Each structure stands twice: as structure tokens, then as C-alpha cells.
Amino acid sequence: MYSNSSRGERTSLKPMRAAGRQRVEELLEAASDLMAERGYEATTMAEIAARAGAKIGSLYRFFPNKEAVADALVQRHIAVLEDEYAALAKRAAMLSPDALADVLIELLVTLHPRVKSLSALMEARTDKMEIRDRARGHAIAGIAAALRVCAPGLDEALARDIAAVVLNIMKVLRGMLAKDAPTTSGAPDELRQMHRLYLTDRLRPFRRTLDGITDAQP
């Protein structure tokens, strides 16, 4: 376990030059890979430097300790989630419920490579519940916003309820696609179809046509 407080230690150095910023990206990517593979506690600063093909002094130049690396990764991962869900809301205006269902259910799968160490980092932090709630809050708010863009008649409370269901379906699919998952080869496609049917059924009554009426049949 580690605390996210600096305990008076030097904070991470933010490079001004492009070469420095590139090096930081390489170091953080290496750290994320290792922590996702081995966990936070088992990952060492020496291993991070080696995975990034950097000298250990280069790593310590930008990050005084492993806690600083982890803090930078958490901030990076949360920023990725915020950006992806904001972009999703913009795309939703051009998507049918079926198409939105497909985009949503695949989102955690496509996002995972960019936030692969978030789960391991949360488990190691003393404020893990706060980080988990923050990440979940971004997800539900982002999904709900996309649902309301796709179906403008949907009220906010119901949108958040549907978003919570969708988020859990997304997590189930990611679990099904994990290596050695206890499932069958056709089960992920069945889940995708179930998700399309669910979302279309829930959104169709709240979608407005060009004539200002909903898609719901009388």
C-alpha cells in the first residue's frame, strides 16, 4: 500500500523540451505495463527504467520515487477516461441506438490498453475507494450524457440508471475476452446482441424524429 501524499519529497519534474516529454511518456508506458503485469508492489524503479530502455538516473530525474510514478499514472489514466467519454457524447448524435450499443460495449475493451494499470494502482493506494468512485463516476456520467444525446427525451435520472447497467455489461464483456476466461467462444457475441436489444428498447421511446415525435410505436 502507498499514500498519494508527497510526505515533503520532491514532486515529479515536468519536462519543457519535446525530447524530455517523449522520455516521460516512455517511462510511464513501461511502468504501466509492468504494474499491470506484476502489480504495484512487485514493480521496481530499476525494472521500469530497463523496460523503457533508459538509464536509472533518467527515471529518477523525472520521478523521485515509485509513488511519484504511480501518481502520474493515475492522473494520466483518469484524464484518458475523461477525454474518451467526452468524445463519446459528441459521437452519439450521429449514432443509432444499435450503433451506440456496439460502441459502448466495446469501449472498456478498447480503452484497456491505455489504462491497463489503473486497477493495480487503485489496489495499492490508500485512497483507492476515492479513485474507484471517481473513475466510476466519470464512466456513468459519460455514458449517461451519450445516451441523452442519442435519445434527447431521456431524463437524467433514468439515463444514469441505464448507464450503470451498461457499465456492468461492458465489464462483463471485458472479462469474457480476458485470457483463459471461463466462457464459450460464442458468448461475447451473444452478450453484444443482448446489449443491442436492451439499449434499443430503452432508448427508442425517447428518440425524436424530424417531425418532433418519438420513435415509439403507438
Side-chain angles (χ1 to χ4, degrees), residues 47-126:
E47 288 170 332
I48 293 171
R51 177 69 68 94
K55 294 181 179 179
I56 190 68
S58 178
L59 176 58
Y60 278 110
R61 177 188 173 201
F62 296 112
F63 302 100
N65 48 46
K66 191 168 67 169
E67 289 87 348
V69 175
D71 288 343
L73 279 174
V74 169
Q75 293 172 15
R76 185 191 200 200
H77 292 340
I78 293 296
V80 166
L81 295 178
E82 291 174 346
D83 290 346
E84 285 295 326
Y85 284 112
L88 174 65
K90 293 180 180 179
R91 291 180 61 192
M94 307 299 294
L95 299 175
S96 66
D98 266 7
L100 180 60
D102 288 341
V103 170
L104 282 170
I105 199 171
E106 300 290 347
L107 189 57
L108 282 188
V109 177
T110 57
L111 268 177
H112 180 69
R114 300 177 63 195
V115 296
K116 61 173 73 81
S117 60
L118 185 56
S119 295
L121 288 164
M122 286 194 297
E123 287 305 314
R125 290 177 67 112
T126 56

Side-chain angles (χ1 to χ4, degrees), residues 204-205 213-218:
R204 190 167 61 90
I213 61 176
T214 69
D215 287 345
Q217 298 298 317

Side-chain angles (χ1 to χ4, degrees), residues 2-12 63-69 71 75 125-127:
Y2 79 94
S3 169
N4 64 318
S5 66
S6 63
R7 296 188 297 275
E9 297 171 342
R10 181 171 63 86
T11 58
S12 302
F63 302 100
N65 48 46
K66 191 168 67 169
E67 289 87 348
V69 175
D71 288 343
Q75 293 172 15
R125 290 177 67 112
T126 56
D127 61 344

Side-chain angles (χ1 to χ4, degrees), residues 140-141 144-145 147-148 152-163:
I140 290 179
L147 296 176
R148 296 189 72 197
L154 190 64
D155 71 67
E156 186 173 354
L158 181 55
R160 290 182 66 85
D161 288 341
I162 296 172

